[in-house]
Structures are given as C-alpha cells and as structure tokens.
Amino acid sequence: MKYSTSNKKEKLQNSGKLQKRLLNFLFIISLIIVLSTVINVTALYLNNKIKMYRTEAYGYTRIAADYIDGDKIQGYLDNPVEDDYFYDVKAFINRMQANTDILYFYVLVPSEEDPNEYIYIWDADADGTPGMAIGDTDDFSSEGAVLTEQVMSGGKSEKLIITYDKEYGFIAFAASPIYNSAGDPVALSTVELPMKDMAYTFYMFLISIVITVVFVMAIGMVAFYKKLNKNIIIPIQKLDDATKQVTTTLETGENIDPDIHTGDELEDLSNSFVYMEHELREYIEENTKIMAEKERIGAELNVATKIQADMLPMIFPAFPDRTEFDIYASMKPAKEVGGDFYDFFFIDDDHLALVIADVSGKGVPAAMYMMMAKCLIQTYTLSGRSPEEIFNDVNLKLCDKVSNNMFVTVWLGILEISTGHLTAVNAGHEYPLVMKPGGDFEVLKDKHGFVLGGLSEMVYHEYEIDLKPGSKLFVYTDGITEAQDVNAELYGMDRTVQTVNQVKDGKPEQVVNDVQRILEEYIGEGEQFDDMTMLCLEYIGI
C-alpha cells in the first residue's frame, strides 16, 4: 500500500519537532548548569574569603593576648596610670598595626555595670589618629556584645563579625580573651580588620565566573547540538526518505504506509519499517548492534586503561636527584581498568605526599571515580592543607558531586623529608606496615576514619609518626590481603606481614616486586578478583 497525499502532508508537519524539543531541552540544561555553577563557586569563594580573614584577624588577637600580662589589667582599672609596662604594650600593638592592615587594635574590659559597654586599656594609634585613654568607654554593637559575653564566659567561639562602613567598606571584627595567672579571662584583645578587597574582588570574580561559564556552556551546547543533529536527526531523516522508496519486499522496493503516530521524526522512522521483513531486519540489526557495542566497549576500555596508566606515576626511579628516600609502587588491576590508585608528589622541597586508595567497584565507573578522587586529593594537598583538612574537604566534594553510592578508602601521608616526621590520615583503608631500622615490619593500627564519599558529616583526624634513617613504610590495598588461591582461601593479614618481612632487606622496588611474585605464586590458577596495589618507601635521611 502506497502513501496517500494526506499522509505525506501529515509527515511534513511532524518534520522538525524533534529539533525544537532538543533545542528547548539544551537551553534548560544549560541554564541549570550555569546557575548551579555560579551559585556553588560563589559560595565557595565567599566561604574561603571569610575563612581567610577570620584566620588573619584571630591570629593578630591571639598574638596580642599571649603577649599581654593579664594580672596587670585590674591594676589599670583601679589606678589608670600609664607606666613603663603600659608603654611597652602600647608600642607592641602599634608595631602590629603599622606593619599590617589592621584598622583598629585595642584592649578592652567589658563593663560590669553595663554589658553593652566596654572600658579601654590600650588603643593603638600608629595610624596617626589619637587613641583612647585608659578608662575611656564606648558601646558594643549587638553582635559584639553577644560575642564578648560568650568569650568572657569561657567560650571557644572564633566567630567573625562583619560590618559595613561607608569609608572603609566591609570590616571584620575579632576578639580573643586575655587570661590572668589564675586562668580567668579578664580582658579582650580586639582588632577591626578592613576587608578592603571583599566587595570589589567578589563582584569581579562573580562577573568573570558568569562570563566564563556562559561562554563555555554556549560553545559546548552548540557543539553538542550540531553533533546530535548531524549524527541522529539528519540520518533519521535520510533513512526515512530512503525507506519510503522501498516496497513491501526487499526485491520490489514498494513503499509501505506507516501505522505508528508519535508526532515527530521518530514516527516516520518507525512507520517506514513496520511492514518490512521483520525477522531478517531484526537479525541483521541485532548483529550490527552487537558488533558495534563490542567495538565501542573495546575502544572505551583501551582508552580508559591508557588514561588510568598515564595518571599513575610509572617512571622509576621517581626522583633520581633526591637521596633522602627511595620509593616504588605498582598497581595490577583485576580488569582492564581498576579502582585502585597510588600517588606520590612533592608539595614543596621538604614535604612529600604519599597516597594509596581503593575505590568501590571495578571497571570503567570505578576508574572514572578514581580519577576524580585522585585529582581532588592532589589539588587539596598541593594547596598546603593538613591531611585531616584534605580529607574533610575531599569527602564533602565527593558526597556533593557523586550520587551513585560509590566511595573510596584512602591512606594519605605527608613526609617531612628533613626530619622523617610523617603526618597521616586513614579513611577506612588497610593498616600500614612500618619497619624500624634493623627491625621487622609491624602493623601500625592507626586511627581509622570512615570512607571518603560515604557520609558528608564525617570529620577526619590525623596522626603522626617519626621515621628514622633506615625505616621503611609499606602500604597496600585489600587486593593483597583478600587474594585467593584455587581453594578460595584468603591470603590474609598475617601471611601478608610474613611475606613482606621475607623481603624486607631489599630496596622498595625489590620489596614490591617480590611481594607481587610471591602473591601470584599463591594465587596460581585462581582468579584475581580485586586490584592489587602496593607502595613502599625507604627513609634514608639527610
């Protein structure tokens, strides 16, 4: 049965609807991405800025609080006479004001009669403005009164109060307690720090982020639409036009009237194939799909394997010009790509970061998650954070960005090369093995935190150990301890420690390779179910 004139008109009316839907969809997705990116980046920027000013402001107040003798405060209240000690402290806070951005720097005592009033003891005047004298009074702001009461009552709050002044812009207010010899808070060391670049840099930052995100998204969406139009819509239309020329059989080419009405180009495609020889068409189509899928999967696995290998340090010796330590690591995935990873890199000339981790799951998803976790850990480590701060920040990012119930166990250590001092944190990972000079490897049962990417409210804590020259560190993933032989017997922790001690006298490369060899002999004809990753460090010292 051939197409009628009315059928052709109806199909021409349907043409182009899919394109309009795709354009609307892309516009909505672009808008959502732009808004969410701007909001998240802006919130992160403001939080970091306020954190920076809080750290700076409270650093100044604590320095002054530690310098001032709290036992002398009451004497100045009872007899407000400027003596030698008074001028010594005055000179100290003046120097701090002169050498910093501090706007006002003063030491005060909250009034016992009026909680909203305070009494000056010292007031810096390095900027040329006359300072307040001993005994002069002034009033707190409402927020300042609350903060002062909390601090003077023994609270540990380091809340930053931010106010706005027409002349100076945003101003950060901070106060730290000054204690007497009995341990009682008797006065407050207080600064007001101008946040002079807050508003301007925020607006410039926001404008640049908006412009950048909109520009990148516009280019990306245009490219995506062109790709979609070229690879899907146009081929569908061409295929539809072609199928309208064929017949009810493969030989005659007679056209067939469609019977499916979806209202877009897919209707034309579906109707064109309704009355064709289904068995043959489905057989050819299914085999074509299977072959294409196999090729796609093979190509993706090859690319993923190369990407993963390129992300891990693979060149040894890693740092041939550094004689204070020797390091070696290896990773053998259970599949073409795995979820384990290791890393080591310099934070600065005297600090070396060591990382080993195990992502839940295997294959391409685990490899992608591994890349994200590795990049986050390296980025935050290079920013100068402590190990526990790194894990707190990375955990929040993973919980926020990933919603497929994946997580990662990680051990991170930062080695101070000049001293052998190692600061580490463990997020649900295997216990490290540590060998003292001349001794055996022993299990270090360190403090475990929860896995990264599991719960956003988790807080991680670091610990410290000292490596002496000749000490060695061996970290690994559970693919070592949970390896199985042909009888499904686990290798186990005790056997792992024994194996490492058998080869303890070798260099790190020999230790790792020998452990790998012994483990493979144990597995034999059995199957490797998990990635096997190891990292060994020998601390030689200066």
Side-chain angles (χ1 to χ4, degrees):
M1 183 173 64
K2 298 181 181 295
Y3 286 112
S4 66
T5 304
S6 62
N7 286 336
K8 292 180 180 179
K9 289 182 178 179
E10 181 181 350
K11 297 180 188 307
L12 289 174
Q13 291 175 352
N14 291 332
S15 179
K17 288 186 177 181
L18 182 58
Q19 289 175 311
K20 295 177 182 178
R21 293 177 183 178
L22 287 172
L23 284 172
N24 292 335
F25 173 78
L26 290 176
F27 174 78
I28 294 172
I29 291 297
S30 300
L31 185 61
I32 293 173
I33 292 175
V34 169
L35 290 177
S36 61
T37 301
V38 170
I39 291 172
N40 289 332
V41 173
T42 299
L44 181 62
Y45 172 84
L46 290 177
N47 182 63
N48 288 338
K49 270 289 184 183
I50 292 174
K51 184 178 180 181
M52 179 190 73
Y53 280 108
R54 180 171 62 245
T55 301
E56 182 179 2
Y58 275 98
Y60 295 147
T61 60
R62 286 193 293 268
I63 290 173
D66 292 339
Y67 183 85
I68 296 171
D69 185 356
D71 292 333
K72 294 184 178 293
I73 300 297
Q74 188 60 44
Y76 289 122
L77 291 175
D78 296 336
N79 184 22
V81 176
E82 300 176 353
D83 55 14
D84 290 340
Y85 182 77
F86 175 89
Y87 289 116
D88 177 63
V89 173
K90 181 84 169 185
F92 176 78
I93 63 176
N94 274 342
R95 286 194 301 271
M96 290 188 67
Q97 184 185 41
N99 294 319
T100 63
D101 293 329
I102 295 173
L103 186 61
Y104 301 113
F105 200 153
Y106 45 92
V107 177
L108 55 88
V109 177
S111 173
E112 297 180 357
E113 291 78 19
D114 185 354
N116 293 319
E117 185 180 83
Y118 57 88
I119 305 169
Y120 281 93
I121 304 298
W122 285 280
D123 185 17
D125 54 9
D127 59 354
T129 59
M132 303 294 281
I134 302 176
D136 287 349
T137 62
D138 206 342
D139 293 330
F140 284 114
S141 65
S142 58
E143 286 186 316
V146 173
L147 177 61
T148 300
E149 182 180 358
Q150 182 178 3
V151 173
M152 292 300 291
S153 61
K156 299 296 184 181
S157 174
E158 288 196 351
K159 178 183 178 183
L160 190 68
I161 297 176
I162 300 176
T163 59
Y164 184 81
D165 182 84
K166 291 183 178 179
E167 180 179 359
Y168 297 103
F170 290 103
I171 297 176
F173 173 87
S176 292
I178 299 173
Y179 296 95
N180 60 17
S181 57
D184 299 320
V186 295
L188 291 173
S189 168
T190 310
V191 300
E192 293 186 30
L193 190 66
M195 305 168 74
K196 55 188 179 181
D197 62 339
M198 187 71 172
Y200 176 78
T201 57
F202 170 70
Y203 292 138
M204 295 303 296
F205 174 80
L206 185 59
I207 291 172
S208 63
I209 284 295
V210 170
I211 292 174
T212 301
V213 172
V214 170
F215 179 76
V216 173
M217 289 304 304
I219 292 177
M221 288 304 169
V222 168
F224 179 75
Y225 174 75
K226 287 184 176 180
K227 187 76 172 178
L228 199 63
N229 190 59
K230 177 182 178 182
N231 295 336
I232 296 179
I233 297 175
I234 293 177
I236 287 175
Q237 293 171 337
K238 289 182 178 179
L239 182 60
D240 177 63
D241 292 336
T243 55
K244 292 173 184 176
Q245 304 303 318
V246 299
T247 61
T248 54
T249 65
L250 296 175
E251 294 82 11
T252 64
E254 184 179 353
N255 216 342
I256 300 175
D257 187 19
D259 193 35
I260 298 176
H261 306 283
T262 59
D264 55 32
E265 290 86 353
L266 292 177
E267 174 184 335
D268 298 336
L269 179 63
S270 300
N271 290 332
S272 298
F273 287 96
V274 168
Y275 298 111
M276 290 186 178
E277 297 171 347
H278 294 289
E279 296 298 328
L280 179 59
R281 181 69 64 188
E282 289 179 1
Y283 176 80
I284 296 174
E285 196 173 85
E286 186 64 24
N287 277 274
T288 301
K289 289 180 179 179
I290 291 174
M291 294 301 297
E293 184 68 12
K294 287 183 177 180
E295 292 177 1
R296 183 188 65 80
I297 292 174
E300 288 182 355
L301 289 175
N302 289 336
V303 172
T305 302
K306 187 177 187 305
I307 291 174
Q308 185 179 40
D310 291 343
M311 289 191 68
L312 301 180
M314 301 293 290
I315 300 176
F316 296 97
F319 309 107
D321 57 335
R322 300 302 293 259
T323 60
E324 306 96 323
F325 64 91
D326 189 12
I327 190 170
Y328 189 82
S330 72
M331 195 274 282
K332 182 181 180 184
K335 296 185 176 182
E336 288 84 353
V337 290
D340 284 7
F341 70 91
Y342 64 84
D343 202 2
F344 47 84
F345 51 90
F346 277 103
I347 303 172
D348 55 44
D349 288 339
D350 195 38
H351 291 86
L352 177 70
L354 310 169
V355 184
I356 191 164
D358 185 0
V359 174
S360 62
K362 297 292 175 288
V364 175
M368 297 301 102
Y369 192 90
M370 177 273 281
M371 294 177 198
M372 179 188 297
K374 180 179 181 297
C375 291
L376 285 173
I377 292 171
Q378 186 178 60
T379 299
Y380 283 117
T381 302
L382 290 173
S383 69
R385 291 171 169 86
S386 66
E388 62 185 19
E389 291 174 336
I390 294 167
F391 274 23
N392 288 333
D393 292 340
V394 171
N395 181 59
L396 288 175
K397 280 292 183 183
L398 292 177
C399 290
D400 179 53
K401 297 298 183 184
V402 181
S403 58
N404 59 353
N405 297 321
M406 297 189 73
F407 59 86
V408 57
T409 69
V410 191
W411 180 91
L412 165 67
I414 297 179
L415 175 66
E416 188 175 62
I417 300 171
S418 60
T419 63
H421 187 71
L422 179 71
T423 305
V425 61
N426 192 327
H429 200 71
E430 305 298 307
Y431 290 124
L433 304 183
V434 179
M435 186 194 82
K436 295 180 180 179
D440 290 335
F441 278 100
E442 297 179 356
V443 178
L444 175 62
K445 294 190 175 181
D446 54 8
K447 297 181 290 185
H448 273 50
F450 197 59
V451 297
L452 296 183
L455 296 173
S456 60
E457 62 268 24
M458 293 305 300
V459 177
Y460 298 87
H461 301 286
E462 60 193 34
Y463 63 91
E464 301 176 355
I465 60 175
D466 289 309
L467 300 179
K468 304 298 182 182
S471 298
K472 290 180 182 177
L473 172 71
F474 184 85
V475 287
Y476 52 94
T477 61
D478 60 6
I480 305 299
T481 56
E482 296 179 4
Q484 299 180 20
D485 62 8
V486 292
N487 299 317
E489 181 180 354
L490 295 178
Y491 199 66
M493 188 65 194
D494 292 339
R495 191 179 279 120
T496 299
V497 176
Q498 293 173 5
T499 300
V500 177
N501 279 321
Q502 288 178 24
V503 298
K504 66 178 182 179
D505 295 329
K507 291 294 183 182
E509 180 176 0
Q510 184 179 350
V511 171
V512 170
N513 290 335
D514 285 348
V515 171
Q516 183 71 44
R517 173 182 53 79
I518 295 172
L519 196 61
E520 290 176 353
E521 291 174 355
Y522 176 82
I523 296 173
E525 298 298 323
E527 182 180 355
Q528 180 185 341
F529 293 100
D530 202 355
D531 306 333
M532 295 189 296
T533 306
M534 295 171 280
L535 184 150
C536 183
L537 170 85
E538 179 181 8
Y539 180 66
I540 301 171
I542 298 176

